[in-house]
PDB file of all heavy atoms in Angstrom:
ATOM      1  N   LYS E   1       8.757 -66.593 -68.356  1.00  0.00           N
ATOM      2  CA  LYS E   1      10.120 -66.211 -68.801  1.00  0.00           C
ATOM      3  C   LYS E   1      10.869 -65.344 -67.630  1.00  0.00           C
ATOM      4  O   LYS E   1      11.929 -64.839 -67.883  1.00  0.00           O
ATOM      5  CB  LYS E   1      10.109 -65.388 -70.104  1.00  0.00           C
ATOM      6  CG  LYS E   1       9.622 -66.250 -71.315  1.00  0.00           C
ATOM      7  CD  LYS E   1       9.779 -65.411 -72.561  1.00  0.00           C
ATOM      8  CE  LYS E   1       9.244 -66.206 -73.735  1.00  0.00           C
ATOM      9  NZ  LYS E   1       9.337 -65.440 -75.008  1.00  0.00           N
ATOM     10  N   GLY E   2      10.250 -65.121 -66.481  1.00  0.00           N
ATOM     11  CA  GLY E   2      10.882 -64.342 -65.524  1.00  0.00           C
ATOM     12  C   GLY E   2      11.107 -62.941 -66.028  1.00  0.00           C
ATOM     13  O   GLY E   2      12.220 -62.463 -66.042  1.00  0.00           O
ATOM     14  N   ASP E   3      10.082 -62.272 -66.445  1.00  0.00           N
ATOM     15  CA  ASP E   3      10.092 -61.022 -67.071  1.00  0.00           C
ATOM     16  C   ASP E   3      10.477 -59.902 -66.045  1.00  0.00           C
ATOM     17  O   ASP E   3       9.602 -59.248 -65.482  1.00  0.00           O
ATOM     18  CB  ASP E   3       8.768 -60.644 -67.790  1.00  0.00           C
ATOM     19  CG  ASP E   3       8.909 -59.535 -68.745  1.00  0.00           C
ATOM     20  OD1 ASP E   3       9.832 -58.714 -68.620  1.00  0.00           O
ATOM     21  OD2 ASP E   3       7.941 -59.406 -69.581  1.00  0.00           O
ATOM     22  N   ASN E   4      11.768 -59.688 -65.904  1.00  0.00           N
ATOM     23  CA  ASN E   4      12.202 -58.603 -64.902  1.00  0.00           C
ATOM     24  C   ASN E   4      11.765 -57.275 -65.307  1.00  0.00           C
ATOM     25  O   ASN E   4      11.478 -56.333 -64.428  1.00  0.00           O
ATOM     26  CB  ASN E   4      13.786 -58.723 -64.789  1.00  0.00           C
ATOM     27  CG  ASN E   4      14.219 -59.972 -64.160  1.00  0.00           C
ATOM     28  OD1 ASN E   4      13.568 -60.487 -63.324  1.00  0.00           O
ATOM     29  ND2 ASN E   4      15.458 -60.414 -64.515  1.00  0.00           N
ATOM     30  N   ALA E   5      11.699 -56.959 -66.625  1.00  0.00           N
ATOM     31  CA  ALA E   5      11.264 -55.621 -67.042  1.00  0.00           C
ATOM     32  C   ALA E   5       9.892 -55.288 -66.473  1.00  0.00           C
ATOM     33  O   ALA E   5       9.640 -54.153 -66.058  1.00  0.00           O
ATOM     34  CB  ALA E   5      11.497 -55.408 -68.484  1.00  0.00           C
ATOM     35  N   ALA E   6       9.045 -56.263 -66.626  1.00  0.00           N
ATOM     36  CA  ALA E   6       7.581 -56.012 -66.244  1.00  0.00           C
ATOM     37  C   ALA E   6       7.484 -55.937 -64.776  1.00  0.00           C
ATOM     38  O   ALA E   6       6.757 -55.143 -64.200  1.00  0.00           O
ATOM     39  CB  ALA E   6       6.761 -57.112 -66.761  1.00  0.00           C
ATOM     40  N   ILE E   7       8.275 -56.779 -64.113  1.00  0.00           N
ATOM     41  CA  ILE E   7       8.296 -56.741 -62.585  1.00  0.00           C
ATOM     42  C   ILE E   7       8.811 -55.448 -62.059  1.00  0.00           C
ATOM     43  O   ILE E   7       8.226 -54.730 -61.206  1.00  0.00           O
ATOM     44  CB  ILE E   7       9.161 -57.961 -62.012  1.00  0.00           C
ATOM     45  CG1 ILE E   7       8.635 -59.300 -62.396  1.00  0.00           C
ATOM     46  CG2 ILE E   7       9.292 -57.758 -60.530  1.00  0.00           C
ATOM     47  CD1 ILE E   7       7.319 -59.658 -61.678  1.00  0.00           C
ATOM     48  N   GLU E   8       9.866 -55.000 -62.693  1.00  0.00           N
ATOM     49  CA  GLU E   8      10.423 -53.689 -62.212  1.00  0.00           C
ATOM     50  C   GLU E   8       9.504 -52.544 -62.560  1.00  0.00           C
ATOM     51  O   GLU E   8       9.385 -51.506 -61.765  1.00  0.00           O
ATOM     52  CB  GLU E   8      11.821 -53.495 -62.863  1.00  0.00           C
ATOM     53  CG  GLU E   8      12.861 -54.422 -62.362  1.00  0.00           C
ATOM     54  CD  GLU E   8      14.203 -54.368 -63.081  1.00  0.00           C
ATOM     55  OE1 GLU E   8      14.309 -53.500 -64.024  1.00  0.00           O
ATOM     56  OE2 GLU E   8      15.120 -55.168 -62.783  1.00  0.00           O
ATOM     57  N   TYR E   9       8.864 -52.619 -63.686  1.00  0.00           N
ATOM     58  CA  TYR E   9       7.780 -51.632 -64.104  1.00  0.00           C
ATOM     59  C   TYR E   9       6.661 -51.682 -63.055  1.00  0.00           C
ATOM     60  O   TYR E   9       6.238 -50.525 -62.659  1.00  0.00           O
ATOM     61  CB  TYR E   9       7.364 -51.817 -65.459  1.00  0.00           C
ATOM     62  CG  TYR E   9       6.416 -50.763 -65.905  1.00  0.00           C
ATOM     63  CD1 TYR E   9       6.948 -49.495 -66.319  1.00  0.00           C
ATOM     64  CD2 TYR E   9       5.051 -50.844 -66.099  1.00  0.00           C
ATOM     65  CE1 TYR E   9       6.139 -48.467 -66.762  1.00  0.00           C
ATOM     66  CE2 TYR E   9       4.166 -49.853 -66.552  1.00  0.00           C
ATOM     67  CZ  TYR E   9       4.760 -48.661 -66.860  1.00  0.00           C
ATOM     68  OH  TYR E   9       3.912 -47.688 -67.322  1.00  0.00           O
ATOM     69  N   GLY E  10       6.220 -52.728 -62.612  1.00  0.00           N
ATOM     70  CA  GLY E  10       5.175 -52.787 -61.576  1.00  0.00           C
ATOM     71  C   GLY E  10       5.613 -52.151 -60.315  1.00  0.00           C
ATOM     72  O   GLY E  10       4.935 -51.474 -59.634  1.00  0.00           O
ATOM     73  N   GLU E  11       6.939 -52.382 -59.995  1.00  0.00           N
ATOM     74  CA  GLU E  11       7.405 -51.732 -58.723  1.00  0.00           C
ATOM     75  C   GLU E  11       7.436 -50.236 -58.915  1.00  0.00           C
ATOM     76  O   GLU E  11       7.178 -49.481 -57.967  1.00  0.00           O
ATOM     77  CB  GLU E  11       8.879 -52.240 -58.475  1.00  0.00           C
ATOM     78  CG  GLU E  11       8.910 -53.723 -58.121  1.00  0.00           C
ATOM     79  CD  GLU E  11      10.305 -54.289 -57.987  1.00  0.00           C
ATOM     80  OE1 GLU E  11      11.322 -53.411 -58.082  1.00  0.00           O
ATOM     81  OE2 GLU E  11      10.469 -55.472 -57.924  1.00  0.00           O
ATOM     82  N   LYS E  12       7.825 -49.767 -60.122  1.00  0.00           N
ATOM     83  CA  LYS E  12       7.853 -48.313 -60.394  1.00  0.00           C
ATOM     84  C   LYS E  12       6.480 -47.662 -60.298  1.00  0.00           C
ATOM     85  O   LYS E  12       6.277 -46.652 -59.718  1.00  0.00           O
ATOM     86  CB  LYS E  12       8.407 -48.080 -61.829  1.00  0.00           C
ATOM     87  CG  LYS E  12       8.706 -46.608 -62.166  1.00  0.00           C
ATOM     88  CD  LYS E  12       8.945 -46.489 -63.712  1.00  0.00           C
ATOM     89  CE  LYS E  12      10.151 -47.207 -64.124  1.00  0.00           C
ATOM     90  NZ  LYS E  12      11.390 -46.435 -63.770  1.00  0.00           N
ATOM     91  N   ILE E  13       5.417 -48.379 -60.762  1.00  0.00           N
ATOM     92  CA  ILE E  13       4.020 -47.899 -60.693  1.00  0.00           C
ATOM     93  C   ILE E  13       3.673 -47.664 -59.227  1.00  0.00           C
ATOM     94  O   ILE E  13       3.180 -46.545 -58.872  1.00  0.00           O
ATOM     95  CB  ILE E  13       3.137 -49.016 -61.311  1.00  0.00           C
ATOM     96  CG1 ILE E  13       3.269 -49.003 -62.846  1.00  0.00           C
ATOM     97  CG2 ILE E  13       1.664 -48.629 -60.951  1.00  0.00           C
ATOM     98  CD1 ILE E  13       2.578 -50.109 -63.518  1.00  0.00           C
ATOM     99  N   ILE E  14       3.966 -48.629 -58.373  1.00  0.00           N
ATOM    100  CA  ILE E  14       3.610 -48.543 -57.000  1.00  0.00           C
ATOM    101  C   ILE E  14       4.430 -47.488 -56.231  1.00  0.00           C
ATOM    102  O   ILE E  14       3.820 -46.666 -55.444  1.00  0.00           O
ATOM    103  CB  ILE E  14       3.742 -49.930 -56.256  1.00  0.00           C
ATOM    104  CG1 ILE E  14       2.777 -50.906 -56.983  1.00  0.00           C
ATOM    105  CG2 ILE E  14       3.460 -49.862 -54.787  1.00  0.00           C
ATOM    106  CD1 ILE E  14       3.135 -52.317 -56.778  1.00  0.00           C
ATOM    107  N   ASN E  15       5.660 -47.464 -56.529  1.00  0.00           N
ATOM    108  CA  ASN E  15       6.608 -46.516 -55.845  1.00  0.00           C
ATOM    109  C   ASN E  15       6.327 -45.089 -56.226  1.00  0.00           C
ATOM    110  O   ASN E  15       6.665 -44.158 -55.391  1.00  0.00           O
ATOM    111  CB  ASN E  15       8.098 -46.823 -55.988  1.00  0.00           C
ATOM    112  CG  ASN E  15       8.535 -48.074 -55.368  1.00  0.00           C
ATOM    113  OD1 ASN E  15       7.984 -48.390 -54.250  1.00  0.00           O
ATOM    114  ND2 ASN E  15       9.451 -48.897 -55.869  1.00  0.00           N
ATOM    115  N   GLU E  16       5.733 -44.881 -57.363  1.00  0.00           N
ATOM    116  CA  GLU E  16       5.351 -43.565 -57.751  1.00  0.00           C
ATOM    117  C   GLU E  16       3.947 -43.106 -57.337  1.00  0.00           C
ATOM    118  O   GLU E  16       3.358 -42.131 -57.778  1.00  0.00           O
ATOM    119  CB  GLU E  16       5.511 -43.414 -59.291  1.00  0.00           C
ATOM    120  CG  GLU E  16       7.002 -43.465 -59.802  1.00  0.00           C
ATOM    121  CD  GLU E  16       7.119 -43.168 -61.253  1.00  0.00           C
ATOM    122  OE1 GLU E  16       6.124 -42.725 -61.868  1.00  0.00           O
ATOM    123  OE2 GLU E  16       8.242 -43.365 -61.732  1.00  0.00           O
ATOM    124  N   GLY E  17       3.301 -43.934 -56.561  1.00  0.00           N
ATOM    125  CA  GLY E  17       2.019 -43.651 -56.043  1.00  0.00           C
ATOM    126  C   GLY E  17       0.740 -44.077 -56.838  1.00  0.00           C
ATOM    127  O   GLY E  17      -0.304 -43.612 -56.542  1.00  0.00           O
ATOM    128  N   HIS E  18       1.010 -44.887 -57.723  1.00  0.00           N
ATOM    129  CA  HIS E  18      -0.155 -45.412 -58.595  1.00  0.00           C
ATOM    130  C   HIS E  18      -0.588 -46.782 -58.043  1.00  0.00           C
ATOM    131  O   HIS E  18       0.047 -47.252 -57.123  1.00  0.00           O
ATOM    132  CB  HIS E  18       0.239 -45.470 -60.102  1.00  0.00           C
ATOM    133  CG  HIS E  18       0.829 -44.296 -60.572  1.00  0.00           C
ATOM    134  ND1 HIS E  18       0.089 -43.124 -60.733  1.00  0.00           N
ATOM    135  CD2 HIS E  18       2.069 -43.912 -61.002  1.00  0.00           C
ATOM    136  CE1 HIS E  18       0.823 -42.142 -61.271  1.00  0.00           C
ATOM    137  NE2 HIS E  18       2.124 -42.609 -61.428  1.00  0.00           N
ATOM    138  N   VAL E  19      -1.644 -47.302 -58.609  1.00  0.00           N
ATOM    139  CA  VAL E  19      -2.134 -48.647 -58.156  1.00  0.00           C
ATOM    140  C   VAL E  19      -1.998 -49.652 -59.276  1.00  0.00           C
ATOM    141  O   VAL E  19      -2.455 -49.422 -60.419  1.00  0.00           O
ATOM    142  CB  VAL E  19      -3.514 -48.570 -57.743  1.00  0.00           C
ATOM    143  CG1 VAL E  19      -4.049 -49.995 -57.351  1.00  0.00           C
ATOM    144  CG2 VAL E  19      -3.713 -47.543 -56.562  1.00  0.00           C
ATOM    145  N   MET E  20      -1.314 -50.729 -58.931  1.00  0.00           N
ATOM    146  CA  MET E  20      -1.192 -51.816 -59.969  1.00  0.00           C
ATOM    147  C   MET E  20      -2.169 -52.888 -59.724  1.00  0.00           C
ATOM    148  O   MET E  20      -2.528 -53.177 -58.635  1.00  0.00           O
ATOM    149  CB  MET E  20       0.264 -52.355 -59.921  1.00  0.00           C
ATOM    150  CG  MET E  20       0.592 -53.510 -60.822  1.00  0.00           C
ATOM    151  SD  MET E  20       2.063 -54.327 -60.446  1.00  0.00           S
ATOM    152  CE  MET E  20       1.681 -56.060 -60.897  1.00  0.00           C
ATOM    153  N   ALA E  21      -2.597 -53.536 -60.843  1.00  0.00           N
ATOM    154  CA  ALA E  21      -3.501 -54.703 -60.822  1.00  0.00           C
ATOM    155  C   ALA E  21      -2.925 -55.945 -61.432  1.00  0.00           C
ATOM    156  O   ALA E  21      -2.207 -55.818 -62.381  1.00  0.00           O
ATOM    157  CB  ALA E  21      -4.908 -54.345 -61.344  1.00  0.00           C
ATOM    158  N   ILE E  22      -3.092 -57.083 -60.870  1.00  0.00           N
ATOM    159  CA  ILE E  22      -2.574 -58.274 -61.376  1.00  0.00           C
ATOM    160  C   ILE E  22      -3.422 -59.435 -61.099  1.00  0.00           C
ATOM    161  O   ILE E  22      -4.294 -59.512 -60.139  1.00  0.00           O
ATOM    162  CB  ILE E  22      -1.138 -58.584 -60.715  1.00  0.00           C
ATOM    163  CG1 ILE E  22      -0.456 -59.777 -61.318  1.00  0.00           C
ATOM    164  CG2 ILE E  22      -1.285 -58.727 -59.232  1.00  0.00           C
ATOM    165  CD1 ILE E  22       0.995 -59.919 -60.786  1.00  0.00           C
ATOM    166  N   CYS E  23      -3.428 -60.435 -61.962  1.00  0.00           N
ATOM    167  CA  CYS E  23      -4.164 -61.739 -61.732  1.00  0.00           C
ATOM    168  C   CYS E  23      -3.098 -62.700 -61.229  1.00  0.00           C
ATOM    169  O   CYS E  23      -2.225 -63.108 -62.136  1.00  0.00           O
ATOM    170  CB  CYS E  23      -4.801 -62.204 -63.037  1.00  0.00           C
ATOM    171  SG  CYS E  23      -6.193 -61.212 -63.636  1.00  0.00           S
ATOM    172  N   PRO E  24      -3.107 -62.961 -60.016  1.00  0.00           N
ATOM    173  CA  PRO E  24      -2.070 -63.871 -59.408  1.00  0.00           C
ATOM    174  C   PRO E  24      -1.929 -65.281 -60.121  1.00  0.00           C
ATOM    175  O   PRO E  24      -0.823 -65.817 -60.119  1.00  0.00           O
ATOM    176  CB  PRO E  24      -2.522 -63.976 -57.970  1.00  0.00           C
ATOM    177  CG  PRO E  24      -3.208 -62.730 -57.617  1.00  0.00           C
ATOM    178  CD  PRO E  24      -4.071 -62.481 -59.036  1.00  0.00           C
ATOM    179  N   GLU E  25      -3.044 -65.701 -60.608  1.00  0.00           N
ATOM    180  CA  GLU E  25      -3.000 -67.076 -61.254  1.00  0.00           C
ATOM    181  C   GLU E  25      -2.211 -67.042 -62.541  1.00  0.00           C
ATOM    182  O   GLU E  25      -1.625 -68.144 -63.037  1.00  0.00           O
ATOM    183  CB  GLU E  25      -4.435 -67.551 -61.595  1.00  0.00           C
ATOM    184  CG  GLU E  25      -5.277 -67.699 -60.344  1.00  0.00           C
ATOM    185  CD  GLU E  25      -6.754 -67.361 -60.589  1.00  0.00           C
ATOM    186  OE1 GLU E  25      -6.973 -66.167 -61.066  1.00  0.00           O
ATOM    187  OE2 GLU E  25      -7.583 -68.141 -60.403  1.00  0.00           O
ATOM    188  N   GLY E  26      -2.007 -65.912 -63.169  1.00  0.00           N
ATOM    189  CA  GLY E  26      -1.240 -65.759 -64.343  1.00  0.00           C
ATOM    190  C   GLY E  26      -1.969 -66.127 -65.745  1.00  0.00           C
ATOM    191  O   GLY E  26      -1.721 -65.501 -66.731  1.00  0.00           O
ATOM    192  N   ARG E  27      -2.875 -67.084 -65.645  1.00  0.00           N
ATOM    193  CA  ARG E  27      -3.638 -67.421 -66.780  1.00  0.00           C
ATOM    194  C   ARG E  27      -5.141 -67.487 -66.384  1.00  0.00           C
ATOM    195  O   ARG E  27      -5.501 -67.607 -65.212  1.00  0.00           O
ATOM    196  CB  ARG E  27      -3.212 -68.843 -67.264  1.00  0.00           C
ATOM    197  CG  ARG E  27      -1.778 -68.895 -67.791  1.00  0.00           C
ATOM    198  CD  ARG E  27      -1.439 -70.327 -68.249  1.00  0.00           C
ATOM    199  NE  ARG E  27      -0.040 -70.334 -68.750  1.00  0.00           N
ATOM    200  CZ  ARG E  27       0.381 -70.078 -69.928  1.00  0.00           C
ATOM    201  NH1 ARG E  27      -0.641 -69.798 -70.861  1.00  0.00           N
ATOM    202  NH2 ARG E  27       1.585 -70.215 -70.336  1.00  0.00           N
ATOM    203  N   ARG E  28      -5.891 -67.438 -67.470  1.00  0.00           N
ATOM    204  CA  ARG E  28      -7.377 -67.548 -67.222  1.00  0.00           C
ATOM    205  C   ARG E  28      -7.786 -68.880 -66.633  1.00  0.00           C
ATOM    206  O   ARG E  28      -7.217 -69.890 -67.133  1.00  0.00           O
ATOM    207  CB  ARG E  28      -8.139 -67.246 -68.498  1.00  0.00           C
ATOM    208  CG  ARG E  28      -9.654 -67.001 -68.364  1.00  0.00           C
ATOM    209  CD  ARG E  28     -10.307 -66.626 -69.719  1.00  0.00           C
ATOM    210  NE  ARG E  28      -9.546 -65.495 -70.409  1.00  0.00           N
ATOM    211  CZ  ARG E  28      -9.999 -64.999 -71.508  1.00  0.00           C
ATOM    212  NH1 ARG E  28     -10.987 -65.591 -72.272  1.00  0.00           N
ATOM    213  NH2 ARG E  28      -9.380 -63.966 -71.994  1.00  0.00           N
TER     214      ARG E  28
END
């Protein structure tokens, strides 16, 4: 759905000095 809120939150995590983890494939 192009979840901008989640994308922007991920950016916030990184910009505040934390580490974000993601599964690039999106699905199992």
